[in-house]
Amino acid sequence: MEALASSHTQSVDELAVTLKNFGLESVPKAPNTYPALNPVDIYRSHTTELLASVSGIDPKIIYPALQWTQTLDKGDLTLPVPALRVKGKKPAELAVELGEKLPESPLVQPPVIKDTYMQFFFKPAPLTSLVIPSILKNGSAFGFNPNLGLRDPADPAKGRKKMIVEFSSPNIAKPFHAGHLRSTIIGGFLANLYEGAGWEVVRMNYLGDWGKQYGVLAVGFDKFGSEEELVKNPIGHLYDVYVKVSAISRDEAEAIKAKKEEISALRAKGEPTEEQQEQLKKLEDEGVDEQARKYFKRMVDGDAEALGVWKRFRDLSIEKYKATYSRLNIRYDDYSGESQIKDESMEAAARTMEEKGVSEESEGAVIVDLTKYSKRLGKAIVKKKDGTSLYLTRDIGAASERFEKYHFDKMIYVVASQQDLHLAQLFKIMEAMGRKDVAERCQHINFGMVLGMSTRKGTAKFLDDILRDVREKMHEVMRTNQAKYEQVEDPEKTADTLGISAVMVQDMKGKRINNYHFDMDRMTSFEGDTGPYLQYAHARLCSITRKAALSDDELLSADFSLLTEEHAVDLIRQLASWPDVFLNTVKTQEPTTVLVYLFKMAHALSSSYDHLQVVGSEEALKRARMALYAAARQVLWNGMRLLGLSPVERYGSIVSPFLPLSLPSYRNPLTSCPTVLCSCSVQTHY
Ligand code: ARG
């Protein structure tokens, strides 16, 4: 076990030995491919070599034309012949001709020609011998490719590209709404994705923590605040305070309006208004609004006491958020926020905009007329009449500051599609200001709405409430199977983890831009494509692993040629495609790309159990099948971790979170179930 743990990743030499057994002299390797990380690269290189040798076509054209398939019945790789760009020959004829000319290959079967497509099916025996060890040796790094994020793949010493993922970004003393929930889940996933691709990722939370409302909050805290409550539940308490003080401020606004009406009515009648004027002034001067304005002014002017109070609210809220984020396997490198943006940055931006003629005065305010670039961008206000900054102004300052601080190669804003216009304006203004270099590196990742998200006690306000409700619901679902429920070690904790998976998977199941219904019954079901279903698939594999109780060596030295059943071969073909699914996900930036794959695999797994018994089979077969299932468990684990889920090993014991994704195997796949060798616990069926 030690030896394996230290041998980390699969090496090319090991591949060479395996391939030699199948009659290949060397490891086929086209430029910029990674056979030790992605076994399918071997097949692409090999098929390219074969095709080039019979056609004389440049391998540089053939290689990228070889595509992965949507379903395995279309082959493991497919070649749309028109992509070879051969002139003067009908593609369908060329397909047949190439198919006939191709020499016998040790790795792929003679191609199946379907019209203008050549479908390549991998031969099972070599595939199995390549893929299973590759997965077991690469472990939690299998499928990821840290080379993608290199500045220069030819010279790793030049370092990694840097990325900021800004996500979640809730507002202090305001509800954590569905938009924040989605941003948190999708942003967490994207950060993992790019880390898995070898980027240096900075996870940034950009809190809504500035503006007059924080003056309102401070005034409110004076009236209704409780020190004890604040420490106990800062987010909830500050929100309550804010709601109460806002109600007062609304009442006052109405009283002021009424008073003004009274005054104009008196004036119309030519009656004196002095007394009412006095009352109006008192209302205005002593009201929450004015106090808040003054308080916020003190904050802006850097008054230590005012800032101290506000900072405490902020710090306590962040502490609380941290705890909740960690339940979703999320941690931040930078808790930034609107308050952190320096006046200098905004002033410098304002100067540049003015100098470059980007901005103009309009009725006392400063605006940028973006209609000259595109009608839909409209006109954006960048400075209010009273000189105060706006959400947009702060974002302009933030983008410049972040670039100064991090020199990022890419920055992703994970924000609901309701803010499409805001971000489009931001990027265009940056460009117009002469910061095309920054604007070009920015990307808005948007997403649709969650419909009907409410807790049992009313409309959802906070992340914790949502998670609490889902946990309770999950617990109920678990209780419906009393026999299984009794085997669960820590039902509360298990319900919590499964509930979180339920929420996250539901969120990531569809394309980001689609709206979806928050459906508690559906998401907590163990049937259908849900989080609990995936968790179940993983726990079941762990259970088999525990029962089989085989060592790493026993698995790696298994006779893979015994895996000949259709179910086994199909499973291996699917496992082989995980690194390509990962690559494709980097392109789509869609968590659903991963989920569609994982569900397909989970289905293949569940239909395989009856055909591929492990415990109870004779020794050699048991070892080979267990190696297959260990590999499947690893891939499932890697995919779930990429999504930000905490895979359960058995009900009540959860794999520890916060493992980096892209680093070489810090976690041995065969020992990542710590109980592998010593325990044979009850099977966890749900
Ligand atoms: N706090 C904002 C809101 O709740 C989201 C911030 C999005 N990020 C940004 N850089 N504007 O609407």
Side-chain angles (χ1 to χ4, degrees):
M1 209 176 278
E2 265 310 296
L4 186 68
S6 59
S7 71
H8 288 324
T9 46
Q10 165 93 313
S11 75
V12 179
D13 290 348
E14 288 168 321
L15 287 177
V17 173
T18 309
L19 288 169
K20 213 168 189 144
N21 289 338
F22 291 98
L24 263 171
E25 276 316 307
S26 61
V27 181
K29 189 186 172 317
N32 297 321
T33 65
Y34 306 93
L37 300 178
N38 183 355
V40 176
D41 277 355
I42 300 172
Y43 287 84
R44 270 186 287 261
S45 301
H46 172 70
T47 312
T48 300
E49 281 171 17
L50 292 185
L51 284 164
S53 72
V54 297
S55 67
I57 300 169
D58 186 347
K60 284 202 203 67
I61 294 178
I62 303 174
Y63 192 94
L66 282 166
Q67 298 170 355
W68 59 71
T69 57
Q70 289 303 325
T71 49
L72 293 178
D73 58 315
K74 301 206 168 59
D76 295 284
L77 287 174
T78 178
L79 179 76
V81 173
L84 296 178
R85 290 180 264 150
V86 174
K87 292 204 182 78
K89 218 173 245 166
K90 289 208 173 99
E93 283 165 22
L94 182 61
V96 174
E97 188 188 312
L98 287 175
E100 279 164 3
K101 277 199 204 153
L102 275 188
E104 167 84 29
S105 152
L107 298 186
V108 291
Q109 282 157 8
V112 175
I113 311 298
K114 283 268 158 73
D115 193 21
T116 61
Y117 283 87
M118 299 177 81
Q119 299 176 340
F120 295 92
F121 289 80
F122 302 163
K123 288 185 174 170
L127 183 68
T128 310
S129 304
L130 285 168
V131 170
I132 295 181
S134 182
I135 297 173
L136 297 183
K137 287 178 183 164
N138 286 318
S140 46
F142 178 71
F144 307 121
N145 188 343
N147 300 292
L148 305 175
L150 289 174
R151 263 176 217 296
D152 177 358
D155 182 7
K158 293 208 177 113
R160 313 197 160 279
K161 290 188 276 189
K162 192 176 260 182
M163 149 107 57
I164 294 181
V165 183
E166 187 225 275
F167 64 111
S168 194
S169 308
N171 305 320
I172 286 174
K174 296 261 184 77
F176 188 100
H177 56 64
H180 300 124
L181 177 71
R182 295 211 71 188
S183 172
T184 309
I185 294 172
I186 295 169
F189 156 76
L190 288 169
N192 292 342
L193 178 71
Y194 282 95
E195 217 157 59
W199 287 65
E200 191 185 328
V201 176
V202 175
R203 291 169 171 81
M204 181 181 282
N205 200 327
Y206 182 64
L207 297 171
D209 58 359
W210 202 240
K212 203 184 91 190
Q213 69 262 37
Y214 296 98
V216 175
L217 187 65
V219 172
F221 196 78
D222 250 1
K223 292 190 201 297
F224 310 110
S226 141
E227 194 48 38
E228 200 188 324
E229 285 297 312
L230 177 68
V231 174
K232 222 171 42 200
N233 175 17
I235 295 177
H237 184 56
L238 289 177
Y239 176 69
D240 288 344
V241 166
Y242 190 74
V243 169
K244 281 188 192 152
V245 69
S246 303
I248 295 187
S249 139
R250 254 196 319 277
D251 289 349
E252 287 172 351
E254 265 169 37
I256 289 173
K257 196 169 151 227
K259 193 55 70 186
K260 283 182 177 160
E261 280 165 8
E262 195 186 330
I263 293 172
S264 33
L266 287 173
R267 274 205 188 115
K269 284 193 264 169
E271 289 174 22
T273 60
E274 283 77 19
E275 199 182 320
Q276 284 73 14
Q277 297 270 20
E278 198 106 320
Q279 287 163 349
L280 176 65
K281 190 169 172 340
K282 194 163 152 52
L283 275 175
E284 283 178 335
D285 287 353
E286 289 170 17
V288 165
D289 226 45
E290 178 58 18
Q291 287 178 50
R293 196 192 60 75
K294 284 193 185 129
Y295 197 97
F296 184 59
K297 172 115 182 31
R298 281 169 63 201
M299 286 166 64
V300 171
D301 294 343
D303 177 288
E305 196 200 324
L307 280 175
V309 172
W310 162 86
K311 186 169 182 309
R312 226 173 130 244
F313 292 166
R314 182 181 197 269
D315 289 349
L316 286 168
S317 302
I318 290 178
E319 275 323 299
K320 183 77 179 106
Y321 269 124
K322 276 187 185 163
T324 309
Y325 287 132
S326 87
R327 297 172 65 192
L328 305 179
N329 296 323
I330 287 166
R331 47 156 190 83
Y332 284 93
D333 302 293
D334 192 341
Y335 275 91
S336 148
E338 293 177 40
S339 66
Q340 308 296 298
I341 310 313
K342 298 193 194 79
D343 284 340
E344 296 96 89
S345 323
M346 292 186 281
E347 278 155 18
R351 267 197 309 279
T352 314
M353 285 191 269
E354 204 188 319
E355 280 160 20
K356 301 217 171 211
V358 174
S359 61
E360 58 198 86
E361 286 251 339
S362 171
E363 297 166 31
V366 182
I367 65 154
V368 178
D369 183 0
L370 294 163
T371 54
K372 51 180 172 258
Y373 306 104
S374 153
K375 272 237 150 31
R376 72 178 179 90
L377 287 177
K379 293 179 180 173
I381 306 180
V382 287
K383 200 182 231 170
K384 283 201 282 200
K385 266 193 211 139
D386 62 6
T388 49
S389 70
L390 291 122
Y391 181 48
L392 179 60
T393 332
R394 293 193 279 274
D395 256 324
I396 298 170
S400 326
E401 278 185 25
R402 291 176 195 176
F403 192 64
E404 288 311 309
K405 180 166 173 193
Y406 291 106
H407 297 286
F408 53 82
D409 297 278
K410 192 172 169 75
M411 172 154 69
I412 289 179
Y413 293 80
V414 190
V415 187
S417 56
Q418 278 107 322
Q419 296 195 26
D420 281 356
L421 179 63
H422 170 76
L423 288 148
Q425 289 179 335
L426 169 65
F427 299 162
K428 189 47 99 185
I429 291 174
M430 294 298 292
E431 193 186 312
M433 276 169 62
R435 294 315 304 259
K436 199 165 182 214
D437 55 337
V438 178
E440 272 175 350
R441 293 164 198 234
C442 294
Q443 185 190 8
H444 176 202
I445 294 266
N446 60 1
F447 49 82
M449 292 190 293
V450 185
L451 309 170
M453 192 169 91
S454 62
T455 63
R456 289 169 173 188
K457 297 180 182 81
T459 334
K461 292 209 174 64
F462 302 108
L463 184 51
D464 271 348
D465 300 340
I466 300 161
L467 299 183
R468 178 206 59 218
D469 273 23
V470 178
R471 178 184 65 223
E472 282 170 11
K473 172 76 195 170
M474 199 69 238
H475 210 147
E476 276 168 27
V477 176
M478 286 161 64
R479 278 206 194 94
T480 57
N481 189 333
Q482 198 55 31
K484 304 289 184 275
Y485 182 74
E486 277 160 18
Q487 298 167 3
V488 176
E489 280 171 22
D490 182 349
E492 276 285 310
K493 175 108 186 95
T494 302
D496 191 53
T497 308
L498 295 185
I500 289 170
S501 304
V503 172
M504 292 176 71
V505 167
Q506 169 171 264
D507 193 275
M508 295 192 278
K509 226 170 87 170
K511 280 220 173 117
R512 290 188 328 253
I513 198 65
N514 295 342
N515 300 341
Y516 70 84
H517 280 273
F518 196 80
D519 184 341
M520 199 96 98
D521 291 328
R522 169 112 194 65
M523 73 168 106
T524 52
S525 168
F526 280 96
E527 275 145 39
D529 291 347
T530 65
Y533 175 73
L534 267 192
Q535 289 285 14
Y536 167 66
H538 185 265
R540 186 166 181 182
L541 286 169
C542 290
S543 167
I544 296 172
T545 310
R546 286 192 294 270
K547 285 185 183 167
L550 293 171
S551 73
D552 300 354
D553 285 343
E554 283 170 314
L555 297 187
L556 276 174
S557 60
D559 178 0
F560 301 125
S561 72
L562 296 172
L563 297 169
T564 52
E565 298 85 352
E566 205 188 327
H567 283 94
V569 174
D570 280 354
L571 201 46
I572 291 158
R573 294 170 66 202
Q574 272 180 15
L575 295 176
S577 68
W578 166 239
D580 277 357
V581 170
F582 174 75
L583 277 183
N584 193 26
T585 310
V586 175
K587 290 202 188 107
T588 63
Q589 300 174 307
E590 292 276 3
T592 182
T593 311
V594 176
L595 271 172
V596 165
Y597 171 78
L598 293 183
F599 282 125
K600 236 195 270 177
M601 201 177 78
H603 295 151
L605 274 166
S606 75
S607 54
S608 77
Y609 293 126
D610 285 345
H611 305 271
L612 308 172
Q613 223 188 337
V614 176
V615 180
S617 293
E618 65 77 26
E619 193 57 24
L621 203 54
K622 175 180 161 187
R623 277 166 55 178
R625 287 179 178 170
M626 190 58 238
L628 170 62
Y629 283 135
R633 190 203 68 78
Q634 185 68 61
V635 170
L636 198 52
W637 193 91
N638 294 5
M640 288 171 80
R641 293 294 303 147
L642 175 60
L643 295 170
L645 305 173
S646 305
V648 297
E649 294 187 347
R650 59 170 106 207
Y651 289 103
S653 102
I654 291 130
V655 179
S656 56
F658 293 150
L659 294 171
L661 283 169
S662 62
L663 306 175
S665 197
Y666 40 77
R667 198 179 172 88
N668 185 318
L670 306 177
T671 53
S672 63
C673 284
T675 44
V676 158
L677 299 171
C678 54
S679 143
C680 181
S681 81
V682 271
Q683 191 158 342
T684 41
H685 272 288
Y686 264 104

